[in-house]
């Protein structure tokens, strides 16, 4: 299928989705059901429209002989795409194909498959080989989604965090942490004049070159989220950093230290929030161990000896 035809086909599926929301909702409910009845329907479509592929799977991937690399190299029958298009164009009222295609192109298909497979990994009724195959299939689904440009690594990292927050009961805390810090006085936003600079040096004050070298030297060995939060507060309090929000600060610092394994910006944001929790009008109270650490950073940054 040519690229132009493919894009038109996707648009046709989107138009079907917009006018058949009830059918789509029923299908999604089935694929998310614990019985996985919807996924069995998808599998049956594959058996019918890609018989050669399914026969190969049944022949080569049974028991403990499944090979992840081999499965990833499987290709569908040459006429499968044509059959799918024809069935979509000449849809039978009982066909699951339109809803399935809408789910594959526009829904949370990969995430659903991963969740269903993970439940099989943890199902005590399954033996070791069955759990191992389910785990292997999770890797195949994730890698396939990235290879087909349907998902990115960042998408899966976000999915993993969301899943972890739900399982650990941290949903509210996570939502609050993700909010823009518009009410945190210590977090200075960029000035918004023109395009943001791509260099941390442009946000620093004083002897910029010397200051940047000091920062890089120490951050190369002290770069946890808490370390960077203390540095950020010290720079703010010494008025050595201006119009630079936390996200930009982290990004530009990472650019300056490409070989340094900085923790994610989320870790820095959490550390900033924790320090702000004990602040008074955006400044750390002059007591406690954090004040000691921040003052030590301030002395290091401003030492002229």
């Amino acid at each position: 299928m040519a690229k132009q035809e493919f894009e038109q086909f996707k648009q046709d599926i989107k138009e079907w989705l917009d006018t058949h929301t009830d059918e789509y909702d029923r299908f999604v409910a089935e694929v998310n059901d614990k019985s996985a009845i919807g996924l069995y329907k998808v599998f049956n479509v594959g058996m019918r429209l890609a018989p050669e592929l399914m026969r190969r799977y049944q022949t080569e991937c049974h028991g403990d002989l499944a090979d992840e690399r081999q499965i990833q190299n499987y290709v569908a029958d040459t006429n499968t795409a044509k059959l799918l298009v024809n069935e979509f164009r000449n849809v039978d009222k009982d066909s699951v194909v339109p809803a399935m295609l809408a789910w594959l192109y526009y829904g949370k298909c990969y995430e659903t498959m991963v969740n269903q497979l993970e439940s099989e990994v943890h199902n005590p009724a399954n033996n070791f080989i069955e759990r191992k195959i389910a785990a292997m299939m999770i890797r195949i689904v994730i890698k396939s989604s990235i290879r087909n440009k349907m998902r990115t690594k960042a998408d899966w990292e976000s999915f993993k965090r969301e899943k972890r927050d739900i399982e650990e009961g941290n949903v509210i805390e996570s939502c609050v942490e993700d909010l823009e810090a518009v009410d945190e006085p210590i977090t200075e936003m960029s000035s918004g004049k023109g395009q943001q600079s791509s260099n941390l040096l442009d946000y620093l004050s004083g002897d910029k070159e010397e200051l940047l070298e000091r920062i890089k030297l120490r951050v190369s060995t002290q770069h946890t989220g808490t370390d960077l939060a203390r540095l950020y507060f010290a720079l703010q309090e010494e008025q050595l950093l201006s119009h630079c929000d936390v996200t930009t600060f982290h990004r530009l610092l990472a650019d300056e230290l490409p070989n340094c394994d900085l923790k994610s910006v989320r870790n820095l944001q959490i550390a900033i929030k924790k320090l702000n929790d004990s602040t008074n009008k955006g400044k750390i109270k002059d007591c406690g161990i954090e004040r000691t650490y921040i003052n030590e950073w301030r002395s290091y940054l401003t030492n002229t000896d």
Side-chain angles (χ1 to χ4, degrees):
M1 185 186 298
K3 183 177 180 180
Q4 186 175 358
E5 293 176 312
F6 176 68
E7 293 301 326
Q8 181 58 53
F9 182 54
K10 284 180 63 177
Q11 181 59 36
D12 293 342
I13 294 171
K14 184 65 168 65
E15 291 175 1
W16 179 93
L17 176 58
D18 292 339
T19 57
H20 295 77
T21 53
D22 290 342
E23 292 96 320
Y24 183 75
D25 288 345
R26 283 195 296 271
F27 176 80
V28 171
E30 288 181 342
V31 296
N32 284 291
D33 189 89
K34 290 183 179 180
S35 67
I37 184 174
L39 294 181
Y40 282 115
K41 288 184 177 180
V42 173
F43 183 80
N44 288 333
V45 170
M47 289 286 290
R48 180 164 54 84
L49 299 183
E52 293 179 16
L53 174 62
M54 290 303 179
R55 277 196 295 271
R56 180 179 174 185
Y57 173 82
Q58 291 178 322
T59 301
E60 300 180 11
C61 298
H62 53 79
D64 59 354
L65 301 179
D67 187 323
E68 178 181 345
R69 291 169 298 178
Q70 190 178 53
I71 294 175
Q72 287 181 334
N73 291 329
Y74 283 8
V75 293
D77 301 5
T78 55
N79 63 340
T80 300
K82 182 179 178 181
L83 291 172
L84 275 172
V85 172
N86 289 340
E87 183 147 344
F88 178 78
R89 301 289 188 208
N90 305 285
V91 62
D92 181 274
K93 66 177 182 178
D94 296 324
S95 175
V96 73
V97 168
M100 180 192 76
L101 289 172
W103 179 65
L104 290 172
Y105 284 120
Y106 300 105
K108 295 292 185 181
C109 58
Y110 293 104
E111 294 83 354
T112 299
M113 286 187 278
V114 166
N115 275 329
Q116 293 281 10
L117 288 165
E118 189 174 41
S119 68
E120 294 302 314
V121 172
H122 298 294
N123 186 349
N126 293 332
N127 61 38
F128 172 76
I129 296 300
E130 290 169 330
R131 294 199 298 271
K132 181 178 178 180
I133 291 175
M136 180 187 70
M137 293 305 297
I138 289 175
R139 291 194 293 272
I140 290 174
V141 169
I142 292 175
K143 290 179 180 179
S144 296
S145 72
I146 295 175
R147 185 174 63 251
N148 296 329
K149 302 186 186 305
M150 300 294 285
R151 300 291 187 275
T152 64
K153 181 181 178 182
D155 291 331
W156 285 111
E157 289 173 343
S158 177
F159 173 74
K160 181 180 70 174
R161 287 196 301 269
E162 181 181 24
K163 185 175 176 63
R164 182 193 62 213
D165 290 336
I166 291 173
E167 292 173 348
E168 296 179 357
N170 296 328
V171 177
I172 295 177
E173 180 180 357
S174 176
C175 290
V176 172
E177 289 168 355
D178 285 339
L179 295 175
E180 292 184 2
V182 295
D183 59 342
E184 295 181 1
I186 193 65
T187 304
E188 294 189 18
M189 303 302 292
S190 60
S191 62
K193 296 179 180 179
Q195 190 162 347
Q196 287 188 344
S197 171
S198 59
N199 298 304
L200 181 58
L201 199 67
D202 294 334
Y203 291 98
L204 300 178
S205 302
D207 189 345
K208 297 182 179 184
E209 297 283 355
E210 171 68 19
L211 179 59
L212 182 59
E213 288 306 311
R214 285 176 182 246
I215 292 172
K216 289 165 61 176
L217 178 63
R218 192 159 185 179
V219 170
S220 65
T221 59
Q222 298 181 30
H223 45 257
T224 67
T226 303
D227 289 330
L228 299 185
R230 293 165 181 160
L231 166 61
Y232 189 76
F233 272 88
L235 287 168
Q236 296 269 14
E237 291 181 3
E238 289 293 332
Q239 298 183 353
L240 295 174
L241 182 73
S242 59
H243 303 299
C244 186
D245 60 85
V246 173
T247 302
T248 301
F249 176 71
H250 184 276
R251 175 175 59 82
L252 297 181
L253 193 58
D255 290 343
E256 294 290 344
L257 294 159
N259 297 320
C260 183
D261 184 21
L262 296 186
K263 300 303 180 182
S264 70
V265 67
R266 181 176 174 80
N267 287 343
L268 174 57
Q269 291 168 337
I270 291 173
I272 289 285
K273 180 178 183 297
K274 287 181 178 178
L275 290 177
N276 271 330
D277 282 345
S278 60
T279 64
N280 178 24
K281 294 183 179 180
K283 293 185 178 181
I284 297 290
K285 293 179 181 178
D286 291 324
C287 61
I289 190 66
E290 289 302 334
R291 170 47 57 196
T292 301
Y293 286 133
I294 291 172
N295 283 346
E296 199 275 328
W297 259 111
R298 293 175 67 176
S299 297
Y300 170 78
L301 295 172
T302 58
N303 191 345
T304 57
D305 294 339

